[in-house]
Amino acid sequence: MGVAHIPTGLERRVASRPVTDSKETHVTLDLEGKTALVTGAASGIGRAVAVRLAAGGASVVVLDRDEAGAKQLASDIDGDFLVADLSDPSVIDTLDLDADILVNNAGIQHVAPIEEFEPERFSLIQRVLLEAPFRFARALLPGMYARGWGRIVNVSSVHGHRASPYKAAYVSAKHGLEGLSKVIALEAAGKGVTSNTVCPGYVRTPLVEGQIADQARTHGIDEAEVLDDVLLARTPVKRLAEPEEVARLVAFLCGPGTDSVTGSSFMMDGGWTAA
Ligand SMILES: NC(=O)c1ccc[n+]([C@@H]2O[C@H](COP(=O)([O-])OP(=O)(O)OC[C@H]3O[C@@H](n4cnc5c(N)ncnc54)[C@H](O)[C@@H]3O)[C@@H](O)[C@H]2O)c1
């Protein structure tokens, strides 16, 4: 995955757009005594989710393939870490897992026309984005059922609901994740366990920065044009979301008192799909 950075000038321009709702919300999360497993938590959205759940009182297990990042965050939030590469999701079955909250967040992206999309890369993206969430749910649901309480939040995407060209693997995996999340919700209904998806549009993280760089290369234009003419052109609020905004919604769905909120998808796309 590319980790190119948005050029400084551009970053300044985006940052200068006001975030009108950035004030801390006063929703208190009572997650004392709960354990949360957050995948892909060493960076971006997963990191922000792990920080927020820990602030709400949960014991957080940070899972990532990035050992240094996972270790550092676990130490910062007084949690634990697990190093696992989900490109082989069968590794999940070898871990001794138990948690009240599962946030399936780890993700990768690749942009190419179908005729140039290597099948191995297509299947890698399905494994990380779809098979791993299935295996995590399979491993954790029995414990959640036994305790009569559980929360599963799948970090999907606008692309779980609509397609863009050149993202065959990502779009199909995220559509699959939407279906998986609903099946889990139906099977878990009445057992105190919920399953939902959150569907961000564009969020300022290394993944989206890599995507900007990829698209600039594919179309032979510069990164500032990709940001303005592609990403922000689709986003009525005209700015990238911040990982912490996504984390607020994820944390709400992980909290108590939300048993009826299940089998749903929550768009967080700055108005993109409303248009
Ligand atoms: N950034 C966006 O604009 C955006 C928009 C919609 C959806 N999403 C989704 O949000 C989720 C998080 O994305 P992000 O933008 O924070 O990305 P990111 O690149 O900042 O973080 C992804 C994390 O996943 C980990 N990861 C990737 N492959 C892994 C593997 N094989 N095994 C273990 N860990 C692995 C990475 O090490 C990294 O820590 C993804 O599922 C992504 O599809 C992001």
Side-chain angles (χ1 to χ4, degrees):
M1 173 182 11
V3 286
H5 293 287
I6 298 174
T8 320
L10 181 57
E11 189 143 42
R12 260 203 309 277
R13 255 193 306 145
V14 175
S16 70
R17 293 187 172 116
V19 180
T20 48
D21 67 344
S22 66
K23 275 197 216 105
E24 200 42 58
T25 52
H26 294 286
V27 178
T28 37
L29 267 181
D30 182 7
L31 298 177
E32 287 299 332
K34 305 288 190 213
T35 302
L37 174 67
V38 184
T39 75
S43 170
I45 294 169
R47 184 185 167 81
V49 168
V51 167
R52 183 154 281 267
L53 295 182
S59 298
V60 178
V61 179
V62 173
L63 186 145
D64 210 287
R65 64 178 171 183
D66 168 6
E67 181 168 1
K71 209 171 180 171
Q72 181 60 53
L73 177 60
S75 144
D76 292 348
I77 63 175
D78 205 13
D80 291 314
F81 69 95
L82 271 173
V83 180
D85 187 342
L86 303 177
S87 47
D88 175 8
S90 67
V91 72
I92 294 162
D93 302 345
T94 69
L95 303 171
D96 186 19
L97 296 175
D98 194 19
D100 305 296
I101 296 166
L102 165 64
V103 181
N104 280 312
N105 165 80
I108 46 173
Q109 165 76 282
H110 183 66
V111 179
I114 286 182
E115 64 278 17
E116 290 166 23
F117 217 113
E118 300 102 356
E120 176 45 33
R121 203 190 277 264
F122 181 90
S123 111
L124 167 70
I125 291 175
Q126 306 299 316
R127 293 197 298 275
V128 176
L129 295 187
L130 185 53
E131 186 179 337
F134 161 73
R135 287 194 190 250
F136 278 118
R138 191 170 167 276
L140 293 173
L141 278 169
M144 293 179 181
Y145 290 159
R147 290 184 291 276
W149 196 91
R151 296 286 181 262
I152 298 180
V153 180
N154 298 296
V155 181
S156 175
S157 164
V158 158
H159 287 110
H161 296 262
R162 59 168 57 187
S164 290
Y166 314 121
K167 295 183 183 173
Y170 189 81
V171 166
S172 53
K174 292 294 191 188
H175 273 68
L177 184 61
E178 291 291 328
L180 174 68
S181 183
K182 288 179 191 161
V183 172
I184 296 169
L186 293 179
E187 292 186 13
K191 298 176 181 162
V193 178
T194 65
S195 173
N196 293 289
T197 64
V198 298
C199 304
Y202 293 112
V203 187
R204 187 206 303 270
T205 71
L207 183 138
V208 105
E209 291 167 8
Q211 188 182 331
I212 291 172
D214 277 355
Q215 292 204 14
R217 253 192 319 277
T218 305
H219 301 298
I221 53 179
D222 69 33
E223 294 185 7
E225 275 179 87
V226 175
L227 181 72
D228 281 338
D229 299 348
V230 184
L231 277 59
L232 298 186
R234 289 173 175 157
T235 311
V237 300
K238 298 294 172 214
R239 65 173 180 81
L240 301 180
E242 298 298 331
E244 291 72 21
E245 296 180 84
V246 185
R248 275 189 203 121
L249 178 55
V250 173
F252 171 77
L253 294 169
C254 291
T258 54
D259 281 21
S260 300
V261 186
T262 194
S264 294
S265 296
F266 294 87
M267 309 310 290
M268 261 209 88
D269 59 2
W272 176 355
T273 49

